[in-house]
Amino acid sequence: MSLFSKFIAKVRGTNDFSAADWHELEEELLLSDLGPTLTKTVLEQARKIKSENANEALSHILTSTLSSKDRSMLLGETTTVIMVVGVNGTGKTTSVAKLAANIKKSGKSVVMAAGDTFRAAAVEQLQTWGSQIGVEVVAGKTNGDPASVAFDATKRAKELNSDFLIIDTAGRLHNKNDLMAELEKVKRVVEKVFPINETLLVIDATTGQNGLQQAKIFTEAVQTTGIILTKLDGSARGGVALAIENEVDIPIKWIGTGESVNDFAPFEPTNYIQGLLS
Amino acid sequence: MFESLSSRFTSAFSSLRSRGKLSNADIENTCAEIRQALLESDVALSVVENFVAQIREQSLAVLPTLQSGSNQGQAIFNIVNAALIEILGGSARRIRFAKNPPTVIMLAGLQGAGKTTLAGKLAKFYADQGNTPLLVASDLQRPNAVTQLQIVGESIGVPVFAPEPGNGVGDPVKVAKSGIDFAKSKLYNMVIVDTAGRLGIDDDLMKQAISIRDAVNPDEILFVVDAMIGQDAVRTSQAFLDGVGFDGVVLTKLDGDARGGAALSIASITKRPIMFASTGEKIGDFDIFYPDRMASRILGMGDVATLAEQAKKAFDGESSAKLEAKFASGEDFTLEDFLEQLQAMSKMGSMSKILGMLPGAGAMKKQIENFDESEIVRTKAIVQSMTPTERRDPKVLNGSRRARIALGSGRKVSDVNNLVDRFSAAQKMMKQVRNGAMPAGMGAMGLPTMPKGPAKAVVHKKKSKSGNPAKRAIEDGQ
Ligand SMILES: Nc1nc2c(ncn2[C@@H]2O[C@H](COP(=O)(O)OP(=O)(O)O)[C@@H](O)[C@H]2O)c(=O)[nH]1
Ligand SMILES: [Mg+2]
């Protein structure tokens, strides 16, 4: 019997959950990167539940640890502006392209801004995606000012009356103050034209507890509104994103499950959580 | 609240160190603290349990043999420190050069680990030592990975072998193979093969990595891994070890604030040495990995050795010799010296990075995070607005001079006052140091006790499954 079904049976009262089972549950949660604090919270609540409807009971504990914020996309009045941020190599550029393709498929117009002017060939990387998915990319010079690229892209989106603008940004470690200040500047400059409706933080599912620091500091700097959890096609479970929901109250909105443009989907909390314990 | 391994260890040990006699309950408490700290720092669960068990056993064995009155807390501290160093690799190993050049280094790792950047850093590191590396672009998967390597190569003056455009076009095995032939014909003595990122559980791509390996017959396969990785470090490093295999590990993004965890897990599980540390986005942000320094860093003692080395690099020989002579002769440290140091310090990198390496950095974490880098620029501007006489003798700084300096540097008079006050305080402290009073926290670390050997990790036997909920459901249904 899988741990999940054992747990359901326990909740139903049809089976006992042995000390070893509790240990296994703790281990599973820790191995999924929920971290020691959230693991303890979940275990405490799990020990208490007894209910006829086990599925509901389980969703109850888990949803009570999650953010209660809406997971749907926050829309703007005219052009919806989405800025994608995160530490190096998490999958920002890929996610920008995936999100753009997703939006385009739904029949809306979209422009992408190549705001990573720092990493070698990052602009070309987004341009390659752009021509693959048929979405216009606004780019400036490598080593140029990312804020000015973002500003040009915002003007372009306005001119085209585009439904969406998605801004890619350079990867930055959250403990580098100068780079965080640069990101704040990008935001300020864009917001002279349009408010930024969504600031999505890309978290790599392999990330451990450092993801919490990333979420806190990026949120302080640029008011993160959602998370894209990438690389869930690997063996990592991405549990730190749940810890982020719990502690920083930012909802996971999208998941990335591969390197091609269609490996992308809205986040489904119930499925995800059952997957953790299966 | 997330606390770094270093600051937790610091608090766990400061309570141990301050008391003379330890009970078994003290040891249990310390073990519980260490367990929690290691988990929060992403050390893999299996490694944590083994490590803690080893520490408990050794501590219990050592305590009765110690005379009462000797510092038992210090003894446990030494046990932990030695066990950490042991797991982290004992001693650093360098690249093994091939008897018949070229020496071939192949990089492997997950997507986004930092392989391409690292390829450039390695090439520069060895080129600076007189080698003639060739970079081979075998990541034909990620859009524009080839272009990225070409740009990196150009910026460091290292040639890049890139016959295929990438973006899904071309055979990475063929490129790697012909890269070696090319290097041989052109007498390059080193080849660094960049490969696409791949998942540990992606069998097809792992087979491709094996084919590249077999085609180039590398002298070293380096597993490149992000220092921020969590519990998956176990599954992934094991999958790469069982798949393509590797001889050494490179930790990247160590300039972040995730410290220690992954290093401990991977070294302990794979028994492969961590050889290099990648510590920033610039080509020079790279160093060989020092297990003892990493252990100190984990234990909150700071990475003084690295700091000293970076300082040596940044301060040119002449000016530091001058400063040393001055110091020894009892001459005063002036604002002119200070300016020189500020300039050298900006060469060393960000102030928060420098401060992070100091002893006790764990406890100062908040202040370090909040350190305002532009403060240095402002300070420099103030000192630069002073005349040489003023720099040598701040006592001449009367009100009107201070007002002029404030105007010249675009700061307020109170900023100038502040700087002068702080400088005088620092000057006084330097005098004290010279007179033999060591600053707190720099005492000798005491005698090392030898642990029995590295903690053996029990590798989690469960089959790795995909984190993708849909895929997991299918796998579970089978
Ligand atoms: N397996 C997998 N790889 C991904 C995913 N998202 C991005 N990647 C890969 O991760 C690497 C880094 O992605 P990139 O978008 O360049 O990251 P950035 O530096 O944050 O912009 C690339 O090799 C991508 O193909 C995902 O969901 N799954
Ligand atoms: Mg990018």
Side-chain angles (χ1 to χ4, degrees):
Chain A
M1 204 166 17
S2 79
L3 187 59
F4 182 71
S5 25
K6 262 199 263 182
F7 185 68
I8 295 287
K10 181 255 167 200
V11 173
R12 287 211 181 101
T14 55
N15 197 353
D16 235 16
F17 214 54
S18 66
D21 291 332
W22 282 115
H23 186 75
E24 195 186 338
L25 181 58
E26 179 188 20
E27 220 176 270
E28 280 300 320
L29 296 175
L30 285 173
L31 288 175
S32 302
D33 286 316
L34 261 73
T37 314
L38 181 57
T39 296
K40 204 165 141 224
T41 314
V42 169
L43 283 175
E44 272 165 14
Q45 297 192 20
R47 279 175 194 277
K48 281 188 228 141
I49 51 170
K50 207 151 197 96
S51 150
E52 278 305 300
N53 189 337
N55 255 317
E56 198 176 278
L58 185 65
S59 338
H60 177 74
I61 348 174
L62 292 162
T63 44
S64 70
T65 64
L66 294 183
S67 165
S68 53
K69 287 185 182 155
D70 191 5
R71 290 176 199 278
S72 55
M73 195 143 49
L74 302 171
L75 298 177
E77 275 170 24
T78 49
T79 299
T80 296
V81 182
I82 303 171
M83 180 162 82
V84 177
V85 303
V87 301
N88 315 71
T90 51
K92 288 175 296 301
T93 305
T94 313
S95 297
V96 166
K98 288 174 174 179
L99 191 55
N102 192 290
I103 288 168
K104 193 178 174 220
K105 225 197 261 162
S106 72
K108 307 273 189 202
S109 55
V110 53
V111 172
M112 303 192 286
D116 182 356
T117 56
F118 182 78
R119 208 207 63 204
V123 171
E124 291 87 338
Q125 184 184 352
L126 192 67
Q127 282 168 331
T128 300
W129 276 119
S131 58
Q132 233 175 75
I133 61 176
V135 169
E136 178 172 331
V137 176
V138 177
K141 278 196 257 23
T142 294
N143 294 326
D145 178 12
S148 84
V149 175
F151 185 70
D152 290 347
T154 314
K155 279 195 304 195
R156 178 72 182 145
K158 190 170 184 176
E159 190 179 291
L160 291 172
N161 203 10
S162 176
D163 298 319
F164 286 86
L165 165 66
I166 312 176
I167 304 168
D168 188 18
T169 62
R172 66 200 75 227
L173 289 170
H174 49 284
N175 58 343
K176 311 234 160 147
N177 295 330
D178 46 343
L179 295 181
M180 295 309 285
E182 178 192 88
L183 199 57
E184 289 168 33
K185 182 176 162 202
V186 171
K187 183 178 162 81
R188 271 198 311 274
V189 167
V190 169
E191 293 199 322
K192 283 184 187 155
V193 183
F194 288 127
I196 293 185
N197 307 96
E198 285 267 24
T199 301
L200 299 175
L201 173 67
V202 179
I203 297 276
D204 181 328
T206 56
T207 310
Q209 296 308 297
N210 190 249
L212 271 172
Q213 283 300 100
Q214 296 171 21
K216 283 178 190 164
I217 298 176
F218 271 100
T219 302
E220 260 171 44
V222 289
Q223 296 79 49
T224 313
T225 54
I227 286 170
I228 303 178
L229 183 58
T230 60
K231 308 190 193 172
L232 272 178
D233 47 328
S235 48
R237 315 279 160 79
V240 73
L242 298 188
I244 293 172
E245 290 224 355
N246 183 243
E247 254 190 68
V248 200
D249 196 23
I250 310 169
I252 307 168
K253 294 199 168 175
W254 301 94
I255 59 171
T257 53
E259 294 190 79
S260 60
V261 79
N262 293 322
D263 298 327
F264 195 64
F267 176 70
E268 299 278 357
T270 324
N271 284 357
Y272 174 79
I273 282 161
Q274 295 191 355
L276 280 184
L277 299 182
S278 61
Chain B
M1 180 47 206
F2 174 90
E3 251 183 297
S4 74
L5 186 56
S6 135
S7 56
R8 283 200 79 116
F9 267 158
T10 309
S11 66
F13 285 119
S14 61
S15 68
L16 273 188
R17 269 196 270 185
S18 59
R19 278 177 296 143
K21 189 93 183 144
L22 295 178
S23 65
N24 286 2
D26 285 332
I27 294 182
E28 282 314 311
N29 288 342
T30 308
C31 286
E33 277 284 331
I34 294 175
R35 180 179 194 270
Q36 175 87 3
L38 293 170
L39 283 175
E40 277 177 9
S41 304
D42 296 317
V43 181
L45 186 58
S46 57
V47 177
V48 171
E49 313 237 280
N50 282 290
F51 186 80
V52 172
Q54 181 194 344
I55 297 302
R56 180 185 294 114
E57 190 187 315
Q58 289 181 4
S59 303
L60 289 172
V62 162
L63 280 190
T65 69
L66 293 175
Q67 289 178 341
S68 66
S70 66
N71 193 338
Q72 305 187 45
Q74 181 71 59
I76 295 188
F77 184 91
N78 290 339
I79 289 172
V80 174
N81 191 35
L84 279 175
I85 294 177
E86 183 85 38
I87 295 175
L88 286 168
S91 67
R93 182 170 77 75
R94 305 293 181 97
I95 289 283
R96 288 172 299 224
F97 280 83
K99 284 202 192 76
N100 301 311
T103 299
V104 179
I105 302 172
M106 172 178 168
L107 306 180
L110 292 174
Q111 290 93 344
K115 287 176 294 301
T116 308
T117 311
L118 178 84
K121 291 180 178 183
L122 266 179
K124 175 86 166 75
F125 183 78
Y126 283 105
D128 283 350
Q129 295 177 8
N131 296 286
T132 51
L134 173 73
L135 286 161
V136 173
S138 274
D139 178 356
L140 304 179
Q141 184 104 355
R142 207 200 65 207
N144 297 85
V146 172
T147 331
Q148 185 187 348
L149 193 66
Q150 282 169 324
I151 295 172
V152 168
E154 195 171 322
S155 76
I156 55 175
V158 168
V160 178
F161 182 78
E164 295 284 1
N167 302 343
V169 177
D171 175 359
V173 183
K174 268 198 203 136
V175 168
K177 177 94 193 80
S178 41
I180 303 295
D181 296 339
F182 180 82
K184 279 182 183 154
S185 71
K186 295 280 194 271
L187 302 177
Y188 290 102
N189 83 338
M190 179 178 263
V191 182
I192 299 167
V193 184
D194 185 24
T195 65
R198 63 200 79 233
L199 297 167
I201 55 170
D202 189 330
D203 291 338
D204 291 342
L205 284 181
M206 195 56 80
K207 279 190 196 123
Q208 183 198 65
I210 292 170
S211 305
I212 297 176
R213 177 195 71 195
D214 294 344
V216 304
N217 193 18
D219 300 284
E220 297 273 5
I221 302 176
L222 299 181
F223 176 55
V224 183
V225 64
D226 187 323
M228 292 179 274
I229 192 171
Q231 297 287 328
D232 192 54
V234 175
R235 290 179 287 246
T236 290
S237 57
Q238 192 66 51
F240 274 82
L241 194 66
D242 296 343
V244 66
F246 55 84
D247 309 293
V249 179
V250 183
L251 274 184
T252 63
K253 308 180 200 171
L254 263 175
D255 48 327
D257 54 7
R259 290 189 305 199
L264 212 60
S265 305
I266 295 167
S268 162
I269 282 160
T270 69
K271 303 283 183 287
R272 298 294 185 275
I274 302 171
M275 297 173 65
F276 299 103
S278 194
T279 56
E281 296 190 81
K282 292 195 210 80
I283 274 293
D285 295 333
F286 172 80
D287 205 344
I288 51 178
F289 179 83
Y290 298 98
D292 48 337
R293 294 185 191 178
M294 186 78 189
S296 307
R297 199 163 160 151
I298 290 171
L299 286 171
M301 300 188 300
D303 191 357
V304 183
T306 299
L307 184 63
E309 215 153 81
Q310 291 200 358
K312 217 161 58 196
K313 254 194 248 168
F315 294 87
D316 58 85
E318 197 186 324
S319 71
S320 53
K322 210 169 66 191
L323 204 63
E324 228 166 83
K326 238 180 157 173
F327 193 66
S329 71
E331 243 181 282
D332 261 351
F333 178 71
T334 67
L335 274 162
E336 212 154 49
D337 303 322
F338 183 53
L339 183 62
E340 241 176 63
Q341 284 202 319
L342 279 179
Q343 262 145 358
M345 228 138 76
S346 353
K347 271 193 253 166
M348 280 170 67
S350 79
M351 201 57 200
S352 44
K353 187 164 146 188
I354 297 171
L355 289 175
M357 289 186 232
L358 287 172
M364 302 195 319
K365 190 158 180 290
K366 202 74 224 148
Q367 288 96 306
I368 291 175
E369 271 167 12
N370 291 336
F371 190 87
D372 183 2
E373 301 286 341
S374 48
E375 177 75 23
I376 297 200
V377 178
R378 291 196 286 267
T379 305
K380 239 161 60 178
I382 295 177
V383 182
Q384 273 161 342
S385 304
M386 296 177 182
T387 65
T389 324
E390 288 164 349
R391 287 182 208 165
R392 273 191 295 272
D393 186 13
K395 281 195 279 298
V396 304
L397 287 170
N398 57 19
S400 66
R401 281 175 187 261
R402 288 182 193 218
R404 190 206 76 238
I405 294 165
L407 205 65
S409 59
R411 310 302 315 166
K412 293 205 239 21
V413 175
S414 60
D415 293 332
V416 179
N417 293 342
N418 235 325
L419 171 67
V420 175
D421 290 349
R422 276 184 301 153
F423 179 76
S424 313
Q427 216 174 22
K428 215 178 281 164
M429 199 183 80
M430 305 254 313
K431 273 189 198 143
Q432 282 169 359
V433 173
R434 185 162 48 216
N435 297 337
M438 281 290 275
M442 304 270 294
M445 282 320 306
L447 47 140
T449 48
M450 285 319 292
K452 280 187 303 203
K456 268 194 221 78
V458 178
V459 173
H460 210 62
K461 278 281 146 35
K462 265 189 208 163
K463 183 172 158 273
S464 332
K465 291 183 202 166
S466 172
N468 179 347
K471 272 204 197 148
R472 278 172 68 88
I474 296 167
E475 284 170 0
D476 287 326
Q478 282 169 350

